[in-house]
Amino acid sequence: MLLLSKFFHPGTAYTSGEGKLTSFLHASLKQVAACVIFALAMTVSYFISISMEAIDNTTSWFLPAGVRVYAFLLLDKRFWPALLVGEFTLFGMSVDYIHHGSAVVSVSGMVEYLTDPLRVIPPLGAMLGVAYLRHKKPNQNAIEVKWWLMAIMVCITFIQGVLRALTHAAEDALSLLQTAELTIGYWIGDLIGCFLVLSVVLIVSQSRGLRLLQKGIVLALLIAGLVALCELFVWLTGASNPFYLFKLLTLLALPICIYYYNLQGAMLVLLGVCISLVLLKPQAVVFWELQVFVLSLAISGFLTGSAFELVKEKTNKLRESVMTLEKNNREIKRLTKQLATATVATSETAMGECVSKAAELEGNLDNAGWQTFELIAKLPAEHQATAQ
């Protein structure tokens, strides 16, 4: 999806007839590519979801819910109709083939598909939620955009959970309590799926080269550590449920990863926990206990990682401001010292000039005084008394 967001960036418009045709073909190719690749991503995530069973015969999280949200979020609005077409046609056919071994396309089947609220409302809800988020236009680097995104995921997945539960309740005549349990179960599964896709998107989009490799190594070490320690605990104690040790180790790993990698660290822990649970398959764990633990880990890690990332960003900015102020202060001190030295030097020079001028004036006055007496002596006798 990240590659699609760059590939599907709006291109340059052409004005000539041939240029318009080329532009139309290029735009049509992009629409078809968006439709096919989105449907393929939804199908792969659906297959992974039904294969990742932390508890036998139970799908713990539903990844297509997250793929749908982030496809609408990353791509331009002009590709949204192609995404809807891809979900309503290719993805629907793929799901039918996975479950029934055949995918028959007919007009009646398409009409039935498009009139099914369970299939139509989730993508429309995701589209409206992302449209609202874009209308808000929060700062891309602010914590606000992350919290708004989480709120939208919660609302969209809740709507999907209610629709699925009501559909099953109508078909199987379930009680109100069973319907509520189904709603919560579907809601938590879809929400965890959104967080898992979010974790992959954040890690891949904000890491390049060696940093991405480093985080991959950290994820592998985390999974290996969790699985090995839990298996060692079972082997040493003979216990059938290492889930409590697993939760303890997870809570120890979460703050460490957040400290070094901020929000991405929390998402690394979430990915590692989900993969480790699939590998361990703790059979003695109640489904609700596992789901609530993973969801609480996702939400707490998301909020804590976002807040820690914001605090670290503010701290770095404050440190840069302090360094700038210290640099300016040193420059001011240097200029003040230079100005004071220049003032003293100027004062000494001026004093020397004044002394020399005074000596010169004194000499001139002495000469002028003797010349005056000589002139008075040369005056007539009747004027000498007046001149003196």
Side-chain angles (χ1 to χ4, degrees):
M1 288 302 170
L2 296 174
L3 296 176
L4 285 179
S5 64
K6 297 180 180 180
F7 178 73
F8 296 137
H9 191 274
T12 305
Y14 298 92
T15 54
S16 63
E18 183 180 356
K20 289 182 179 180
L21 178 60
T22 304
S23 178
F24 174 76
L25 294 176
H26 191 226
S28 301
L29 178 62
K30 285 186 174 182
Q31 294 286 345
V32 174
C35 175
V36 173
I37 296 177
F38 172 69
L40 180 62
M42 291 284 288
T43 303
V44 172
S45 63
Y46 183 84
F47 181 78
I48 294 175
S49 298
I50 62 177
S51 302
M52 292 177 64
E53 296 179 352
I55 299 177
D56 287 340
N57 300 321
T58 304
T59 301
S60 302
W61 31 78
F62 192 67
L63 299 179
V67 174
R68 181 187 297 121
V69 171
Y70 295 109
F72 284 107
L73 184 64
L74 295 175
L75 296 184
D76 190 75
K77 291 182 179 179
R78 62 196 181 97
F79 294 107
W80 288 3
L83 300 183
L84 294 177
V85 171
E87 179 162 357
F88 293 153
T89 57
L90 299 179
F91 176 61
M93 294 165 56
S94 302
V95 172
D96 290 339
Y97 182 80
I98 291 174
H99 288 286
H100 306 294
S102 62
V104 180
V105 180
S106 62
V107 177
S108 59
M110 186 60 63
V111 171
E112 181 181 358
Y113 189 97
L114 294 176
T115 55
D116 185 1
L118 183 61
R119 300 180 182 272
V120 175
I121 293 181
L124 294 179
M127 184 177 65
L128 292 176
V130 172
Y132 178 76
L133 180 62
R134 289 190 175 187
H135 176 72
K136 291 286 295 183
K137 294 181 179 178
N139 185 6
Q140 289 291 333
N141 297 322
I143 195 173
E144 180 185 0
V145 66
K146 298 182 178 67
W147 287 7
W148 269 109
L149 182 59
M150 188 182 71
I152 289 174
M153 289 192 305
V154 170
C155 294
I156 293 173
T157 53
F158 178 75
I159 294 173
Q160 295 174 5
V162 170
L163 288 173
R164 290 183 184 177
L166 292 178
T167 302
H168 287 290
E171 293 176 354
D172 303 329
L174 301 178
S175 64
L176 183 60
L177 177 60
Q178 292 174 325
T179 304
E181 290 179 349
L182 275 178
T183 300
I184 297 174
Y186 285 132
W187 181 24
I188 294 177
D190 288 355
L191 190 54
I192 293 175
C194 289
F195 276 112
L196 287 174
V197 177
L198 171 64
S199 63
V200 176
V201 171
L202 283 178
I203 294 171
V204 174
S205 63
Q206 298 182 9
S207 303
R208 292 292 184 273
L210 293 178
R211 291 191 63 84
L212 183 59
L213 178 62
Q214 179 187 20
K215 291 171 185 175
I217 295 174
V218 171
L219 178 61
L221 292 176
L222 178 64
I223 296 171
L226 290 174
V227 174
L229 290 175
C230 289
E231 292 291 349
L232 179 62
F233 176 78
V234 172
W235 181 71
L236 291 176
T237 62
S240 60
N241 183 13
F243 189 58
Y244 296 103
L245 175 63
F246 183 86
K247 289 193 291 185
L248 177 61
L249 295 174
T250 300
L251 294 178
L252 291 176
L254 181 62
I256 297 175
C257 291
I258 290 178
Y259 177 79
Y260 285 104
Y261 298 108
N262 303 328
L263 178 59
Q264 296 181 48
M267 298 295 99
L268 279 173
V269 173
L270 178 62
L271 273 177
V273 165
C274 292
I275 297 174
S276 300
L277 287 173
V278 173
L279 296 176
L280 288 171
K281 292 186 181 297
Q283 299 301 321
V285 179
V286 180
F287 174 75
W288 290 105
E289 184 181 1
L290 184 143
Q291 290 289 80
V292 171
F293 167 71
V294 176
L295 180 61
S296 60
L297 177 69
I299 294 178
S300 60
F302 184 82
L303 295 178
T304 306
S306 300
F308 193 82
E309 188 175 32
L310 180 63
V311 170
K312 186 174 288 188
E313 180 182 352
K314 297 295 183 182
T315 303
N316 291 334
K317 288 183 178 179
L318 182 60
R319 186 181 294 111
E320 292 176 358
S321 300
V322 171
M323 293 176 62
T324 303
L325 288 175
E326 290 178 350
K327 182 179 178 181
N328 293 336
N329 189 27
R330 289 194 298 269
E331 185 68 17
I332 290 173
K333 287 182 178 179
R334 186 186 65 81
L335 293 176
T336 303
K337 184 177 180 180
Q338 183 178 359
L339 182 61
T341 305
T343 303
V344 172
T346 304
S347 300
E348 292 177 353
T349 303
M351 184 64 69
E353 291 179 356
C354 289
V355 171
S356 62
K357 293 293 184 183
E360 182 180 356
L361 180 60
E362 182 181 4
N364 292 334
L365 288 175
D366 290 341
N367 294 330
W370 291 109
Q371 292 175 1
T372 301
F373 287 123
E374 292 177 356
L375 291 173
I376 291 175
K378 295 179 181 180
L379 290 175
E382 62 271 15
H383 297 294
Q384 288 184 5
T386 302
Q388 289 177 358

